[in-house]
Each structure stands twice: as structure tokens, then as C-alpha cells.
């Protein structure tokens, strides 16, 4: 018999190591996140180019692109994808990426978890998403208003495949692939890690030691605030897309 109840928050379930396969944020968990706000010393984020803002307006990927419908509004669903895309765009600005490379990165960030089956340690979801992205390039790139090229497709797919593989677990083939798409891979990993403030355990929050991005520390305030504002808006009844877009606007990142 289950010892959990519908009222259990994700924080309580995480503490008891009873998190379900599909996890949805709740008011108590957002209050806990807010109460545990770290002490940040970073300044304001870089300004986003209009082209990046346009990409973010399209980052709410269609529900049909997800492998599992239960993940649509879960911890690895559309809100996470959109926030990761926004953080990727900010990292791209800090790194001085071209508009073309920024588009490749943001697109990869928006779809990086689309083949997840659940919110726990779904090993191999990056590889599945990379295959899906390659097979569906003719659909994905037009959705973002971006021209697909073999090089861009390969780079995005490589970053998506490697996003859930720790650097210290890279095989020789992984390392070779990473070398060919290093900047996009590193920034996608960093953007994904920055959105970990949504998770219900402090030890799972962003760790600079796990990423390779000079701009990572400077975006932690933005990442934290975007989680709190978008999750609060979603709990208040906004759709996933509305919640994240409102959070971006509130922080002055769009508009």
C-alpha cells in the first residue's frame, strides 16, 4: 500500500525518496524554493537580441513532439524546456555567439527533453531526442523560423544527445562528438543546469563545477527568479507557455 497522499509536496516526497515517475510542482514546493533563495552577487543579465526574443516566442514546442503526454507540464515539460531555451539565449549573448549559432542552441534547448518518458533518471532520453530531432528536422526548424542545414542539424543533435551525459562519463566517441560541437554542447548543458532551481532538493540545485561556461554564475539570479515567477504563474492558472513568457517579460528579458 502506498504511504503517500495527494497532499504530499515534492519536497516532502524527495526527502522520503518517494518521488513518483511524473512530478508536478505544487504551492508548498514553490514556497520552499522561495524560502531557500541563495545569496547571489551577480548583476543584471545581458540584453537579448530581437532575433533571440523571436526564437523564445516559439519555444513552447507542440505537445505532439513529446514522447509522453504526462510530461507536458511536469518538471521536465514545456516550462523547463522554455526556461532552458531562454537561459541558453542569455548564455549565447554572453559568449558572443552569432545569430545562426544562437538559433541552433535555442532550438536544441527547446527540444532537449522531448523524448523523456518520466521525470526520474530516464537514461538515454538525450540520445532518443537527438534521433527524433534528426528525423524530424523538416518540421522542427520551420517551427522556429530557422533554415535547417546538415551542419546545424548535426550540431543540435549532438548537443541534445550529450546533454544528459556527464563530462566525466564521456566515451571516446562522446568526446569526439563533443569536440565537433563544443560550444553548443557546453552552453546547452549549462542552460539545463541553471534551471535546476525547480527541483525539490538543495543538493540538486545548480552546481558550477558540473558545467563549462564562464557566464554560468552571472545568470543564477535570473534562473532562480524565472523559476519562481513562472511556476507561480502556472499554479495560478496560466498555461505553460503563458507562465514562462510572463516570467521573461516580468524580468525585462523580452518586450
Amino acid at each position: 500500500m502506498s504511504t503517500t497522499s495527494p497532499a504530499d509536496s515534492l519536497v516532502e516526497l524527495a526527502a522520503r525518496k518517494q518521488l513518483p515517475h511524473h512530478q508536478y510542482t505544487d504551492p508548498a514546493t514553490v514556497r520552499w524554493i522561495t524560502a531557500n533563495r541563495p545569496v547571489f552577487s551577480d548583476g543584471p543579465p545581458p540584453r537579448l537580441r530581437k532575433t533571440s526574443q523571436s526564437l523564445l516566442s516559439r519555444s513552447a514546442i507542440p505537445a505532439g513532439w513529446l514522447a509522453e503526454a504526462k510530461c507536458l507540464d511536469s518538471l521536465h515539460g514545456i516550462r523547463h524546456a522554455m526556461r532552458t531555451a531562454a537561459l541558453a539565449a542569455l548564455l549565447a549573448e554572453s559568449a558572443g555567439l552569432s545569430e545562426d549559432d544562437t538559433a541552433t542552441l535555442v532550438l536544441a534547448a527547446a527540444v532537449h527533453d522531448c523524448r523523456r518518458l518520466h521525470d526520474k533518471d530516464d537514461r538515454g532520453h538525450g540520445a532518443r531526442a537527438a534521433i527524433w530531432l534528426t528525423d524530424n528536422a523538416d518540421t522542427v526548424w520551420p517551427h522556429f523560423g530557422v533554415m535547417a542545414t546538415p551542419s546545424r542539424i548535426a550540431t543540435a543533435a549532438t548537443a541534445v544527445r550529450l546533454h544528459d551525459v556527464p563530462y566525466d562519463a564521456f566515451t571516446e566517441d562522446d568526446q569526439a562528438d563533443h569536440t565537433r560541437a563544443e560550444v553548443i554542447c557546453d552552453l546547452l548543458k549549462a542552460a539545463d543546469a541553471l534551471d535546476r532551481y525547480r527541483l525539490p532538493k538543495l543538493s540538486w540545485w545548480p552546481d558550477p563545477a558540473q558545467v563549462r561556461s564562464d557566464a554560468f554564475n552571472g545568470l543564477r539570479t535570473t534562473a532562480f527568479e524565472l523559476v519562481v515567477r513562472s511556476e507561480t504563474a502556472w499554479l495560478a492558472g496560466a498555461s505553460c507557455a503563458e507562465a514562462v513568457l510572463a516570467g521573461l517579460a516580468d524580468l525585462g528579458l523580452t518586450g
Side-chain angles (χ1 to χ4, degrees), residues 114-214:
C114 71
R115 296 286 95 184
R116 266 190 172 273
L117 301 178
H118 53 77
D119 293 300
K120 301 192 82 171
D121 186 14
D122 186 7
R123 295 187 179 184
H125 70 271
R128 296 195 300 270
I131 293 170
W132 180 90
L133 176 58
T134 302
D135 290 345
N136 291 276
D138 290 344
T139 298
V140 177
W141 261 260
H143 172 83
F144 286 89
V146 178
M147 180 180 295
T149 67
S151 175
R152 292 174 187 171
I153 295 169
T155 297
T158 297
V160 169
R161 184 180 79 78
L162 293 176
H163 87 270
D164 64 336
V165 182
Y167 288 111
D168 59 8
F170 276 9
T171 65
E172 288 187 11
D173 287 342
D174 293 338
Q175 188 59 58
D177 284 348
H178 174 265
T179 299
R180 287 190 287 270
E182 183 172 358
V183 173
I184 304 300
C185 285
D186 288 348
L187 294 185
L188 176 55
K189 281 178 168 288
D192 190 25
L194 276 168
D195 195 49
R196 294 180 68 86
Y197 290 115
R198 76 196 190 284
L199 301 180
K201 197 169 184 179
L202 294 178
S203 61
W204 297 342
W205 281 15
D207 180 2
Q210 302 300 316
V211 301
R212 299 176 183 177
S213 168
D214 293 338

Side-chain angles (χ1 to χ4, degrees), residues 21-109:
H21 272 71
H22 297 101
Q23 301 160 26
Y24 307 93
T25 198
D26 55 82
T29 296
V30 174
R31 288 194 296 271
W32 174 86
I33 292 170
T34 304
N36 283 281
R37 188 183 195 278
V39 176
F40 296 114
S41 59
D42 47 299
R47 293 183 62 84
L48 287 173
R49 289 169 285 193
K50 289 296 184 182
T51 52
S52 294
Q53 293 186 44
S54 177
L55 288 167
L56 295 181
S57 71
R58 303 169 185 237
S59 62
I61 62 174
W65 291 9
L66 301 182
E68 172 52 64
K70 291 180 181 178
C71 290
L72 180 70
D73 53 5
S74 75
L75 287 191
H76 289 91
I78 300 300
R79 298 190 308 287
H80 168 59
M82 293 182 70
R83 288 193 299 261
T84 303
L87 294 164
L90 291 168
L91 288 166
E93 298 288 354
S94 296
L97 263 62
S98 68
E99 289 190 353
D100 286 346
D101 284 345
T102 297
T104 299
L105 172 60
V106 170
L107 183 152

